[in-house]
Amino acid sequence: MENNIRPTVKNGKICYIEIPATDIMSSASFYKKVFGWNIRERSDGKLAFDDTINEVSGTWVTGRSPSTEVGVLIYVMVDSVVSTVKTIITSGGKLIQPIGVDAPEITARFSDPAGNIFGIYQEPVKD
């Protein structure tokens, strides 16, 4: 990891995600724009990512079918679901489930440029 902050190492922690892609550069650009993920080149020359708090990393892989149906569903925490949906759409993604369907939770679902479905989640403001 570029900034030398090491992730938590603990049994049972989700640590690595492989995301199917049709165009790795396009997918990397999308996730950087939408979530601010750090994009880096691994020692084998392939692109990888680290989330914004350096707890989850992963890569994009070609030759796999995108996850276009809701099965296992990964949610990414965001500051604002509303503004993130706008960025998703302007960055080449599509809104799959609008905000409000999971109320009172603040969520939405989107598909990335390859068609993978993910969710976004906003922590409610405490009174």
Side-chain angles (χ1 to χ4, degrees):
M1 306 213 171
E2 190 169 280
N3 60 10
N4 294 324
I5 297 174
R6 300 288 179 218
T8 304
V9 178
K10 182 82 172 154
N11 184 58
K13 177 187 180 291
I14 294 173
C15 63
Y16 194 80
I17 301 171
E18 293 181 344
I19 302 173
T22 52
D23 178 325
I24 290 175
M25 291 302 290
S26 174
S27 289
S29 176
F30 175 82
Y31 285 94
K32 181 170 182 64
K33 285 179 194 170
V34 173
F35 300 116
W37 289 358
N38 176 51
I39 309 303
R40 61 182 164 82
E41 188 174 317
R42 298 186 327 197
S43 60
D44 64 2
K46 294 184 180 179
L47 283 186
F49 66 84
D50 299 303
D51 70 0
T52 57
I53 61 167
N54 290 311
E55 287 289 333
V56 178
S57 63
T59 192
W60 294 275
V61 293
T62 56
R64 288 191 198 165
S65 298
S67 298
T68 59
E69 298 292 325
V70 176
V72 172
L73 185 58
I74 298 170
Y75 281 80
V76 179
M77 187 171 281
V78 297
D79 292 332
S80 168
V81 168
V82 171
S83 66
T84 303
V85 165
K86 290 176 185 173
T87 305
I88 286 168
I89 292 167
T90 61
S91 300
K94 296 178 184 168
L95 184 63
I96 300 299
Q97 177 181 296
I99 301 166
V101 173
D102 295 324
E105 301 296 332
I106 307 167
T107 67
R109 293 181 189 166
F110 71 93
S111 64
D112 70 6
N116 296 293
I117 297 175
F118 284 86
I120 51 176
Y121 170 82
Q122 177 183 327
E123 187 72 15
V125 176
K126 306 284 188 215
D127 290 334

